[in-house]
Amino acid sequence: MEGLSQTENSSAATMKLKVTRHEPTMVAPAEATENHVYFLSNLDQNIAVIVQTVYCFKASAEMGNERPSEVIREALRKVLVAYYPLAGRVGISPEGKLNIHCTGEGAVFVEADADCVIEDIGDMTKPDPSKLECLVYNVPGAKNILEIPPLVVQVTTFKCGGFVLGLGMNHCMFDGIGAMEFVNSWAEIARGVPLSVPPFMDRSLLKARSPPKIESPHLEFAEIKEVSSDYTEQLHSEELVYRSFCFTPEKLDELKKQAMEDGVLTRCSTFEALSALVWKSRSKALNMAPNQEAKLLFAVDGRAKFEPPLPSGYFGNGIVLTSAIGRAGELAEKPLSFGVGLIQKAIGMITDKFMRSAIDYFEVTRSRPSLTATLLITTWSRLSFHTTDFGWGEPVQSVPVTLPAGEVVLFLSHGKQRKSINILLGLPESAMERFEGFLQM
């Protein structure tokens, strides 16, 4: 199909990078910071996973003999004064909730050297964690997130003078927007310019109410019963294969027109059309029973939707999960507008009342979203990590390292203008072949 291309994980076809790490050190804030227990809201509690990303920078003649690792380390010391909880350690409150002990111990920092030039990395958008995992540092022997500092940094220098910044950040510290603001603040300090978006540290704005008030149904947490068949049993026994599919701006425009062609919708965004297509195609590829309820989960940025809106630079998770549920048979047979309509209703539910209710729902139930018969879409395509400039210019590539779980699809921006979207997912092999065919609509 015009405007749609596909790549797959092909470890054998890619070069294995040889990276030599130096001993890890701790980088503490440049000045004394507050020593206290830092509150994490209920929106921070359910996503305490380590998110690893890499940023690839070419050498720059303007930076002369400056060593990237030294510039980045020194800027880290300074930015940790403003973002001091990142220099602390994850703990648990007497109520069993995560919090941060602001000890000032520092972030883990590792310098490394690669035995090749940066172009040897190749196209990072092709799913190949075996190539990228040497560019991020995993704390050895850590059994859980309590044993991993909230921020882990690796700077790998290549023979050409280019370098890769590899980060491991605990999602409980911030969502994608907050992480982007932190990394860009760090880069601003490296360039000697003031912070354009200083962090707002008080997360008590999102405290649960007392007493809690659950005022909305929260289907994002609902457990869906799986309607099994011989084919679904077979799929459970197959290994996942990963592929990425690139949608050009032209293909995305065509997809939106297709979603609106039956006149049911008055508007349709790129996210809504692409999400509906992936949800429909994946449900069909997995051969879900027609009466199987299928759930779509995705995050909506609630910053502007709270009353009053969250302050600029809010340091924390300002995203709220919402869900759409439809029967697999209807998703498969009805036009694309059907799925888009369900997604639009899910987005429309996100109000201050709904979000405060979600915060209180967790306070009462401590529930985690169920992923049975569920697709979780994680959108990175709207985040401007590619604007990060430590003095060497913007990164030529920036991608997550870890492949998504089987229930998860990543949307990643792609291309020079970042207007294309790569979707990355894993499916059982037989389902992946079917999925690819259904995308060609």
Side-chain angles (χ1 to χ4, degrees):
M1 178 192 352
E2 292 274 336
L4 174 62
S5 59
Q6 171 255 317
T7 60
E8 63 184 301
N9 53 334
S10 176
S11 310
T14 56
M15 172 180 173
K16 180 87 172 173
L17 300 176
K18 185 179 178 185
V19 169
T20 304
R21 291 189 180 99
H22 302 263
E23 281 297 310
T25 58
M26 290 294 171
V27 175
E31 303 167 16
T33 54
E34 292 185 53
N35 188 338
H36 66 112
V37 176
Y38 183 70
F39 168 78
L40 298 180
S41 85
N42 286 350
L43 297 187
D44 303 315
Q45 299 292 329
N46 253 344
I47 42 180
V49 295
I50 304 301
V51 179
Q52 294 182 322
T53 52
V54 290
Y55 305 79
C56 181
F57 298 89
K58 286 191 171 181
S60 168
E62 291 178 19
M63 294 302 289
N65 294 324
E66 292 273 16
R67 291 185 61 217
S69 59
E70 290 179 0
V71 171
I72 290 172
R73 179 201 294 269
E74 184 58 26
L76 179 59
R77 291 179 64 242
K78 294 174 182 175
V79 80
L80 285 177
V81 176
Y83 285 90
Y84 66 90
L86 289 172
R89 296 296 180 263
V90 182
I92 296 184
S93 73
E95 299 79 39
K97 286 193 194 175
L98 296 176
N99 55 27
I100 302 296
H101 294 250
C102 296
T103 58
E105 290 174 66
V108 177
F109 192 92
V110 178
E111 292 184 55
D113 299 297
D115 70 344
C116 57
V117 296
I118 206 151
E119 286 76 15
D120 289 333
I121 294 176
D123 183 1
M124 286 183 173
T125 62
K126 295 179 181 177
D128 187 7
S130 66
K131 183 169 61 171
L132 299 182
E133 61 191 8
C134 61
L135 300 173
V136 289
Y137 182 69
N138 293 301
V139 176
K143 300 180 191 67
N144 54 58
I145 58 151
L146 299 178
E147 299 178 5
I148 302 172
L151 175 61
V152 177
V153 180
Q154 178 175 317
V155 179
T156 305
T157 305
F158 288 71
K159 286 184 173 179
C160 57
F163 66 97
V164 170
L165 174 64
L167 300 179
M169 299 187 284
N170 194 319
H171 207 322
C172 75
M173 301 307 292
F174 30 45
D175 54 23
I177 292 171
M180 177 187 71
E181 290 174 348
F182 163 67
V183 175
N184 286 339
S185 294
W186 183 4
E188 286 172 338
I189 287 177
R191 299 198 316 275
V193 300
L195 300 191
S196 55
V197 187
F200 180 89
M201 306 301 288
D202 184 7
R203 301 193 190 195
S204 66
L205 297 178
L206 299 184
K207 265 191 172 173
R209 294 168 291 193
S210 182
K213 289 163 62 181
I214 300 172
E215 301 174 291
S216 304
H218 290 285
L219 299 178
E220 64 271 27
F221 296 98
E223 182 74 45
I224 290 178
K225 184 179 178 183
E226 185 172 50
V227 181
S228 61
S229 66
D230 290 343
Y231 184 65
T232 56
E233 293 300 320
Q234 174 197 324
L235 290 177
H236 288 315
S237 66
E238 289 184 28
E239 280 192 34
L240 293 184
V241 296
Y242 287 88
R243 290 184 188 163
S244 63
F245 302 87
C246 182
F247 285 76
T248 62
E250 295 75 23
K251 178 57 194 166
L252 293 168
D253 284 342
E254 183 188 321
L255 191 60
K256 285 190 282 186
K257 285 177 188 169
Q258 183 183 331
M260 295 185 66
E261 66 187 6
D262 60 2
V264 172
L265 305 172
T266 57
R267 57 184 169 78
C268 180
S269 71
T270 296
F271 171 79
E272 291 161 357
L274 190 55
S275 297
L277 176 64
V278 172
W279 189 22
K280 177 187 182 91
S281 301
R282 182 179 177 275
S283 300
K284 289 170 72 174
L286 292 172
N287 208 23
M288 288 183 173
N291 63 335
Q292 171 72 64
E293 285 193 315
K295 182 165 66 174
L296 177 68
L297 275 179
F298 56 95
V300 173
D301 178 20
R303 283 167 172 74
K305 296 176 184 287
F306 279 105
E307 297 175 4
L310 296 182
S312 171
Y314 177 77
F315 175 56
N317 286 278
I319 54 172
V320 179
L321 280 179
T322 187
S323 63
I325 297 179
R327 293 199 180 276
E330 290 185 297
L331 284 171
E333 298 303 326
K334 289 191 174 182
L336 199 59
S337 59
F338 174 73
V340 171
L342 293 176
I343 291 167
Q344 290 179 344
K345 284 178 187 171
I347 294 170
M349 288 194 302
I350 301 297
T351 60
D352 181 78
K353 179 179 178 181
F354 178 89
M355 295 186 291
R356 298 281 177 192
S357 176
I359 290 168
D360 290 358
Y361 185 91
F362 181 85
E363 188 73 13
V364 172
T365 66
R366 302 295 171 90
S367 294
R368 295 183 178 277
S370 166
L371 293 179
T372 304
T374 296
L375 169 63
L376 171 60
I377 291 179
T378 301
T379 306
W380 290 57
S381 51
R382 299 170 182 167
L383 302 174
S384 54
F385 284 107
H386 57 279
T387 63
T388 300
D389 180 3
F390 287 89
W392 282 263
E394 294 179 354
V396 289
Q397 300 189 79
S398 56
V399 295
V401 172
T402 313
L403 291 173
E407 303 86 4
V408 180
V409 173
L410 293 182
F411 286 6
L412 305 163
S413 59
H414 187 62
K416 286 189 176 176
Q417 279 80 44
R418 310 275 170 172
K419 290 183 178 175
S420 296
I421 296 180
N422 251 356
I423 65 168
L424 171 61
L425 77 162
L427 283 171
E429 189 164 9
S430 59
M432 183 64 84
E433 300 303 324
R434 290 162 54 81
F435 177 81
E436 184 177 351
F438 294 133
L439 276 191
Q440 316 286 335
M441 46 187 306

